[in-house]
Amino acid sequence: MLEPGQSFAHFKIIKLLGEGGMGQVYLAEDQKLHREVALKILSFKPGDDDDRLARFQREAKTAAQVSHPNVMAIYDIDTTKDAAGSDVTFIVMEYVKGKSLSDYMKARSSDISTVVKLAEKIASGLAAAHKINVVHRDIKADNIIVNEDDQPKILDFGLAKPVQPVQFSEGDSTRTVSKELTRAGKIVGTVSYMSPEQIRGEVVDIRSDIFSFGVLLYRMATGEFPFTGPTEVSTLAKILEARHDSIRMRNETIPMELERIVDKCLHKDPNDRYQDTRDLVVDLRNLRRLYESGTSDSISALRAAPQTVKKSKSWIIDWKTAVIAIAVIGIVWKVFFSEGSNLSFSVDLQAKPNSLAVLDFANKTGDPEYDWMESGLPEMLLTDLAQNKEMNLISRQRILDMLEPSKANGGEISSDASRAIASKLGATNVLTGTLFKVGKQIRIDARLEEASSGRVLMGEKVVGEDPFVLVDSLTDKIASSMNIATATGDQDIRKLTSASPEAFKNYVLGLENFLKGLNEEAIVNFERALSFDSTFALPYMRLGMINAFQGRPQKAAGYIAKALQYQSKLPVRERSLLDVYADIWMNKKFDDAFAKMRSMVSNYPDDIEARTIYGILVYEFTKDTTKAFAQFDSALAINPTYQLPQDFRSEIYISFDKYDEAIRIAEKTKREHPDSPNPYALLASAYLQQGKRDLAEKEFDAILARFPKHRGALANLIRLAIYRRDFAKATALTENYKQLDPGNLYDMVDYYEQMATLAIWNGKFREALQQYDRMADAAKQLGDSGILANTLQTVARGYLHCGITDTGLKLYEESYRYRTANMFSNYALVLVEHDHSKADQARKMIREDIAQFKSRIPSELWGITDGLEKIFEGLARPDTVLLLEGYRDLIKTQQQGNSGNDREMAYILISRGSYQEGIDILKRFVSGEEESSGGIGYPMALYYIGIGYEGLGNKAEATKYFSEMLKFWGNADIQIDEIKDAKARLAKLTS
């Protein structure tokens, strides 16, 4: 032990700072450089272990190469003689004035913003070291100092003591732990930071530090460790075996994105953690920026995650009912069942004053880089010109869509044909143009003609490098030629869209893909646009729409929130649309959205997007097909090949079993939109609903041949393989699904659910539960409350099916915490079904959900709550008559029969002796177009049909259905009650 004032080598000891397993650390003055340093004098002697010293020196020299503001610097490592003449190794390090992270956070434990800022900097320091393969091995709060400038510094990088194996066994066996763990006074905190591989004594890499960082981050956010026990050995056991409690259970204010980051760090398997610390830094940095921007409530929704398509029956209402579970108002669109119209319009519209049709601006530069401007320039001009309310505008796309499909998709268009179409649409003037390249500059030749005669009203050439400046100049010249006031004034195109031509270019490309239904390609374009201009509102709005259509309402809400943040840069019309979309996908004020869209259609009667969306809202909220179709017809009268109203008209035809009409529409849409996958999917959907599975499979195969990453087609091929009981093919196709976009967590949620389904079909219930657990982990990493709530309910149902009631109820309870404002939770129904004593608690929950539902949804949809309340009371009493009444009411409110509700009603009917009625319902789900592909639903339907026939005295049919059910589950690895009962009934029937 050295004393203050004592000399050591060329240092003067000031005081002892601390003592650890490797030696003492002193504050000392470097008398050569006249600075204060931290001097660590190692406790082991070189002669005791030469190999250990050599290894330590190599690691220390490597660690000294780490240069980062959040890592304590290592200045030197050397050896000197002590008083006895023996060699003593010491390390010279930066001296950091400040508090330990533990002390610093005591006063800031609830300040998540501070946690995120500090965590990002600590992770950045780790990343700098990991980049050169330096592993700390002892990341913990005591090894981090926060200096006087609130900057964290990681101490002792690369100098931690190598970890020895820690062994223990359960039961009465003798426990063996290292001396390090049994040493008196050793605190649990140090042990609590260890990774599983450290405990096992395995070689550790950077992923071990990432685990320890996850423990640290968990403690920073909650004040508690994720793994604790009464003894060090029990703590180690939990690290190795137990799952940590959700961080949001400890602190509800924590955003889901932070929970996702922590969970990813704390995976038991190093392969499931972050593989590169820089990825961890990026996620924390994005989280911190969202806090700084004031949009932390939408944090999880704004992550740039890969995409997938979610399936549903409707754009607004996504009925997801299983057994007694109901989830309402999903706000998703059945994208991969989009269709086309069978209608053809040839309406001549009356010419309006100051009406202008904007046609092609041909790219004559010879450079394909400028191809986007053929549609981009008209789009910019339309945006600019639309600011003048005197101007009546007709878009280039409307002209193209009125021409023959071959011409609309790349063929030459004569000026006479263009003018004729423009006149048909009510235009008095036509604008065309040509794009040239002059050196580094662009030259636009524009010509304004009378639509009726072809008389030239204006011929202008504008030259420059900035297309926005050229557009503004052309706008003024066009307005002047038409004898109206200047359209833009000081509101130039950049203030209405983006100041970046590259951003606008990618937005235009994205919009073209979006309108074709090529969502993945559109997402790439829109995100690229935002990489050039992060304040560009239009891409945010369209990304919000795509995510809403794909069944990701929380992610959609995040993008809509960002669009609102920059809405001052939107034209008036787009701002009005955004206001409606915000009410639908962010605020969940559906009644307000309905009223606003009705007003917008009145203000913009020629806006086909507004008319179509309004028609959809009319249909979803009122079920008035006549009024909805009237809006679609109005949109199609303006633009006969506009795909969105065709899609929904076709979907409605399918829902009413008008398959021939739907098929005819799809064939026509194929011709009009050959680059869109939607009409192909429509044909497959119509065939599938008809039970023509071979034809459906042919169409799904055709979709994948042309659109290889079409998830809907692949999902349906999996479904078809299950119908044929070709589980090997279904499994192979499911593996293909996972490979569509490796690392896509949305895909992984679907993948694990499908693998669980296949396992259940084959009676491998334990394997199914493992897949369900993985599904839940993937959903938690997504950071989307709605998806997580639905996923947890799916997993909970799996556990209840396997008879593991406690876990199932716990998962339902967890799903209730994650439910979103647009969901009915299943938890209240399941809770009261399994424990009637909890009726008052559950009743309060369901009434809160109903009140919230009614506050957001038009009164036309309130009828669903009547059925829901009856179901609840029927379960609480219990009263099967009331239960059946509730299910009948619920089914009446649905546009189509829901398999979950219908099956549950049938089970109740059979249970109370209404055998034939129950059998008739269930037979729909074991054959024909409504056959279930679910691993639980199908065998359970067989089981209840068997009970029904047994009740009717038809032993042969009962034997048939029990035998069929046991063909799948007879050798199940968990013999659930239904299996035991089916075996007993079958034995009795065949004895």
Side-chain angles (χ1 to χ4, degrees):
M1 183 74 70
L2 301 177
E3 299 295 331
Q6 184 176 344
S7 294
F8 179 86
H10 57 279
F11 301 96
K12 183 178 180 180
I13 303 300
I14 298 176
K15 64 178 180 179
L16 178 69
L17 293 175
E19 187 171 4
M22 297 186 66
Q24 299 87 35
V25 181
Y26 296 90
L27 173 61
E29 180 187 354
D30 185 333
Q31 294 182 313
K32 287 184 179 179
L33 300 176
H34 302 291
R35 63 180 176 182
E36 290 185 339
V37 297
L39 188 68
K40 173 170 279 193
I41 300 176
L42 304 184
S43 59
F44 63 85
K45 297 184 182 299
D48 293 341
D49 190 342
D50 291 340
D51 289 340
R52 182 185 174 195
L53 175 62
R55 183 174 67 251
F56 172 82
Q57 288 176 327
R58 285 195 304 271
E59 292 175 351
K61 288 176 182 178
T62 303
Q65 298 175 32
V66 179
S67 177
H68 193 275
N70 298 116
V71 175
M72 179 193 67
I74 298 175
Y75 297 145
D76 194 12
I77 179 169
D78 203 353
T79 302
T80 190
K81 300 289 185 181
D82 63 10
S86 300
D87 287 338
V88 177
T89 300
F90 63 91
I91 303 164
V92 186
M93 301 173 292
E94 174 187 6
Y95 172 55
V96 182
K97 294 180 181 179
K99 298 178 180 179
S100 72
L101 182 61
S102 298
D103 291 339
Y104 183 84
M105 288 304 301
K106 281 179 183 177
R108 300 169 175 83
S109 59
S110 61
D111 184 358
I112 301 301
S113 177
T114 298
V115 168
V116 173
K117 289 177 183 177
L118 287 174
E120 180 194 346
K121 292 174 180 178
I122 295 167
S124 296
L126 274 175
H130 290 169
K131 186 177 180 181
I132 59 173
N133 295 318
V134 175
V135 183
H136 192 287
R137 295 176 298 199
D138 196 20
I139 289 293
K140 58 184 178 181
D142 289 342
N143 273 339
I144 296 169
I145 298 292
V146 182
N147 68 17
E148 295 170 339
D149 296 324
D150 293 329
Q151 297 296 311
K153 293 266 189 177
I154 306 174
L155 311 182
D156 283 355
F157 226 121
L159 309 181
K161 182 178 180 180
V163 178
Q164 302 298 323
V166 180
Q167 299 176 346
F168 59 92
S169 56
E170 297 296 339
D172 298 328
S173 303
T174 302
R175 296 175 182 267
T176 304
V177 297
S178 70
K179 293 181 180 179
E180 183 71 13
L181 292 176
T182 55
R183 182 167 58 83
K186 182 70 174 177
I187 62 169
V188 175
T190 299
V191 172
S192 294
Y193 288 100
M194 286 186 176
S195 67
E197 58 267 34
Q198 273 185 303
I199 293 170
R200 292 189 293 265
E202 299 169 355
V203 175
V204 298
D205 56 25
I206 66 169
R207 296 171 297 178
S208 178
D209 279 353
I210 289 172
F211 184 93
S212 300
F213 176 82
V215 174
L216 178 71
L217 184 52
Y218 190 106
R219 189 181 178 199
M220 289 169 68
T222 66
E224 303 175 48
F225 284 105
F227 309 101
T228 56
T231 65
E232 293 177 336
V233 172
S234 62
T235 297
L236 293 169
K238 287 191 174 184
I239 293 172
L240 287 172
E241 300 169 5
R243 178 172 177 78
H244 59 280
D245 287 338
S246 164
I247 194 170
R248 285 163 60 89
M249 290 178 64
R250 307 287 180 90
N251 184 347
E252 293 181 355
T253 66
I254 291 171
M256 288 190 65
E257 172 66 356
L258 183 57
E259 179 179 57
R260 183 195 69 81
I261 293 170
V262 170
D263 287 349
K264 189 164 186 177
C265 291
L266 292 180
H267 274 290
K268 307 295 185 190
D269 187 341
N271 292 320
D272 293 332
R273 298 175 204 150
Y274 286 97
Q275 301 299 295
D276 190 322
T277 319
R278 289 171 292 187
D279 294 335
L280 170 60
V281 174
V282 168
D283 283 355
L284 287 167
R285 181 176 298 134
N286 289 337
L287 187 60
R288 186 256 303 164
R289 286 173 176 168
L290 286 166
Y291 263 106
E292 292 176 349
S293 68
T295 58
S296 58
D297 288 345
S298 301
I299 285 169
S300 60
L302 287 170
R303 290 187 63 252
Q307 311 294 312
T308 186
V309 177
K310 290 290 180 183
K311 302 172 286 297
S312 71
K313 289 288 182 186
S314 168
W315 181 67
I316 294 293
I317 309 298
D318 178 16
W319 307 104
K320 294 179 184 292
T321 307
V323 190
I324 54 173
I326 302 169
V328 183
I329 309 301
I331 315 301
V332 297
W333 184 29
K334 191 172 71 175
V335 173
F336 69 95
F337 280 166
S338 299
E339 302 91 17
S341 174
N342 65 325
L343 301 179
S344 180
F345 292 88
S346 57
V347 181
D348 289 342
L349 301 180
Q350 185 175 358
K352 298 178 181 179
N354 299 324
S355 56
L356 174 66
V358 182
L359 301 182
D360 268 330
F361 275 64
N363 177 18
K364 299 296 185 180
T365 66
D367 187 346
E369 273 294 306
Y370 292 93
D371 284 349
W372 73 275
M373 295 186 77
E374 292 188 347
S375 58
L377 278 174
E379 185 72 21
M380 285 189 278
L381 281 165
L382 287 166
T383 300
D384 226 353
L385 290 164
Q387 304 315 299
N388 190 307
K389 293 186 178 180
E390 295 181 45
M391 193 83 75
N392 294 295
L393 299 169
I394 299 166
S395 73
R396 162 186 176 270
Q397 192 60 48
R398 282 175 62 187
I399 304 294
L400 292 177
D401 287 339
M402 288 288 287
L403 295 166
E404 290 296 323
S406 60
K407 293 180 181 178
N409 289 279
E412 289 295 325
I413 305 171
S414 71
S415 59
D416 288 343
S418 299
R419 286 201 312 274
I421 293 297
S423 293
K424 199 178 187 69
L425 292 172
T428 55
N429 303 295
V430 175
L431 180 69
T432 57
T434 308
L435 180 69
F436 298 96
K437 194 173 181 182
V438 183
K440 293 183 178 181
Q441 294 186 316
I442 303 167
R443 191 186 90 197
I444 302 173
D445 293 357
R447 186 166 65 177
L448 184 68
E449 304 174 11
E450 274 189 352
S452 59
S453 65
R455 182 170 67 92
V456 177
L457 303 175
M458 180 201 80
E460 290 287 347
K461 293 179 180 160
V462 290
V463 181
E465 293 186 12
D466 189 335
F468 291 144
V469 173
L470 301 183
V471 164
D472 285 334
S473 176
L474 273 178
T475 299
D476 290 339
K477 295 176 188 299
I478 293 165
S480 176
S481 298
M482 294 176 64
N483 296 316
I484 61 175
T486 301
T488 58
D490 61 355
Q491 185 79 331
D492 64 44
I493 185 67
R494 286 167 293 194
K495 294 179 181 177
L496 296 171
T497 53
S498 169
S500 166
E502 279 295 316
F504 195 87
K505 166 187 173 180
N506 281 279
Y507 172 72
V508 169
L509 295 173
L511 191 60
E512 290 177 353
N513 283 321
F514 174 68
L515 293 174
K516 292 176 184 176
L518 299 173
N519 288 323
E520 304 305 315
E521 292 83 349
I523 287 168
V524 172
N525 295 137
F526 291 143
E527 289 181 342
R528 183 165 172 77
L530 293 172
S531 73
F532 287 104
D533 181 359
S534 62
T535 69
F536 193 1
L538 286 171
Y540 285 122
M541 184 176 80
R542 297 303 178 185
L543 284 167
M545 293 180 72
I546 291 175
N547 279 277
F549 293 167
Q550 292 183 327
R552 305 169 193 168
Q554 188 165 330
K555 193 176 180 69
Y559 281 116
I560 295 296
K562 292 295 285 186
L564 287 171
Q565 186 178 345
Y566 304 113
Q567 65 177 319
S568 62
K569 297 182 66 175
L570 282 175
V572 176
R573 176 259 186 192
E574 281 75 9
R575 201 178 307 167
S576 298
L577 272 179
L578 176 61
D579 189 29
V580 175
Y581 295 156
D583 277 342
I584 295 174
W585 293 311
M586 190 178 77
N587 303 323
K588 308 296 188 294
K589 296 179 178 178
F590 306 110
D591 219 347
D592 289 351
F594 194 21
K596 288 177 181 177
M597 188 57 85
R598 182 170 55 232
S599 175
M600 185 174 177
V601 168
S602 177
N603 292 331
Y604 298 91
D606 291 339
D607 192 307
I608 54 178
E609 180 176 350
R611 278 203 177 273
T612 303
I613 299 300
Y614 180 53
I616 295 165
L617 294 175
V618 167
Y619 177 72
E620 294 297 348
F621 291 154
T622 70
K623 302 305 176 189
D624 190 330
T625 54
T626 301
K627 289 183 179 179
F629 276 31
Q631 294 301 322
F632 297 158
D633 290 347
S634 296
L636 290 166
I638 298 168
N639 185 346
T641 59
Y642 184 46
Q643 194 169 349
L644 191 57
Q646 296 173 337
D647 292 342
F648 284 100
R649 183 187 294 277
S650 303
E651 183 176 341
I652 292 169
Y653 278 135
I654 288 180
S655 72
F656 287 112
D657 300 335
K658 294 186 176 181
Y659 303 120
D660 291 342
E661 289 293 312
I663 290 169
R664 188 160 64 86
I665 291 168
E667 295 290 2
K668 180 174 182 291
T669 310
K670 264 189 182 182
R671 295 191 299 272
E672 294 171 344
H673 302 282
D675 295 329
S676 171
N678 294 347
Y680 298 85
L682 165 65
L683 278 175
S685 173
Y687 288 138
L688 194 60
Q689 294 295 316
Q690 287 180 298
K692 298 177 180 179
R693 292 175 180 169
D694 290 343
L695 290 175
E697 184 173 33
K698 180 180 177 182
E699 291 299 327
F700 286 131
D701 283 336
I703 293 172
L704 288 180
R706 183 152 189 176
F707 309 99
K709 293 193 174 184
H710 197 284
R711 289 163 173 78
L714 186 52
N716 277 288
L717 286 172
I718 295 169
R719 183 179 171 192
L720 286 166
I722 291 175
Y723 286 150
R724 295 191 175 99
R725 307 296 179 251
D726 189 345
F727 295 117
K729 182 177 180 179
T731 302
L733 288 170
T734 303
E735 291 296 336
N736 291 344
Y737 189 97
K738 183 174 70 170
Q739 296 305 318
L740 288 177
D741 185 4
N744 183 331
L745 288 171
Y746 290 98
D747 283 357
M748 293 309 296
V749 170
D750 291 341
Y751 167 76
Y752 290 130
E753 181 176 15
Q754 189 59 58
M755 292 300 287
T757 296
L758 290 169
I760 289 172
W761 269 107
N762 291 287
K764 298 177 180 179
F765 295 159
R766 298 185 190 281
E767 179 184 331
L769 293 179
Q770 292 176 348
Q771 299 291 355
Y772 278 135
D773 287 342
R774 293 173 184 138
M775 177 187 176
D777 285 342
K780 287 181 178 179
Q781 293 179 60
L782 278 173
D784 188 311
S785 298
I787 290 176
L788 180 56
N790 278 326
T791 297
L792 289 172
Q793 290 188 131
T794 299
V795 177
R797 287 195 292 272
Y799 273 93
L800 290 179
H801 164 72
C802 292
I804 308 175
T805 305
D806 289 344
T807 301
L809 290 175
K810 184 176 180 181
L811 287 165
Y812 264 118
E813 182 181 11
E814 187 178 359
S815 76
Y816 183 76
R817 293 198 303 272
Y818 288 115
R819 78 194 190 286
T820 58
N822 58 320
M823 290 178 63
F824 277 131
S825 171
N826 305 340
Y827 179 48
L829 299 173
V830 176
L831 180 63
V832 75
E833 182 191 28
H834 285 84
D835 188 347
H836 299 311
S837 69
K838 300 289 180 66
D840 289 341
Q841 173 190 346
R843 187 176 289 108
K844 181 181 178 182
M845 288 190 291
I846 203 161
R847 286 177 177 172
E848 288 175 355
D849 283 352
I850 288 173
Q852 181 172 258
F853 175 76
K854 288 184 174 180
S855 71
R856 297 173 180 275
I857 305 300
S859 57
E860 289 87 352
L861 293 179
W862 288 5
I864 185 176
T865 62
D866 297 334
L868 183 62
E869 287 184 294
K870 288 177 182 177
I871 290 172
F872 176 84
E873 293 300 335
L875 290 168
R877 293 182 186 181
D879 182 340
T880 57
V881 173
L882 190 57
L883 261 178
L884 285 172
E885 187 179 339
Y887 275 110
R888 292 188 198 280
D889 287 351
L890 199 62
I891 291 168
K892 285 178 185 176
T893 65
Q894 298 166 193
Q895 183 61 37
Q896 296 174 309
N898 180 283
S899 60
N901 284 336
D902 289 350
R903 280 202 301 264
E904 182 62 19
M905 185 173 71
Y907 299 159
I908 297 168
L909 286 167
I910 289 172
S911 298
R912 67 190 303 270
S914 299
Y915 300 122
Q916 193 60 56
E917 186 179 358
I919 289 170
D920 290 344
I921 293 172
L922 289 178
K923 277 195 169 182
R924 300 205 315 262
F925 304 117
V926 296
S927 62
E929 65 268 19
E930 293 185 58
E931 180 181 344
S932 171
S933 59
I936 296 176
Y938 184 89
M940 288 293 286
L942 294 172
Y943 168 70
Y944 275 96
I945 292 172
I947 294 175
Y949 275 123
E950 186 179 9
L952 292 172
N954 189 333
K955 292 184 179 181
E957 287 295 296
T959 299
K960 169 186 169 183
Y961 281 95
F962 286 134
S963 299
E964 180 72 8
M965 179 246 198
L966 293 173
K967 184 173 75 174
F968 300 108
W969 286 358
N971 295 317
D973 51 12
I974 298 177
Q975 292 288 299
I976 62 175
D977 291 342
E978 289 83 0
I979 296 174
K980 295 175 183 176
D981 185 55
K983 287 181 175 179
R985 289 174 184 269
L986 185 61
K988 183 178 178 181
L989 288 166
T990 57
S991 62

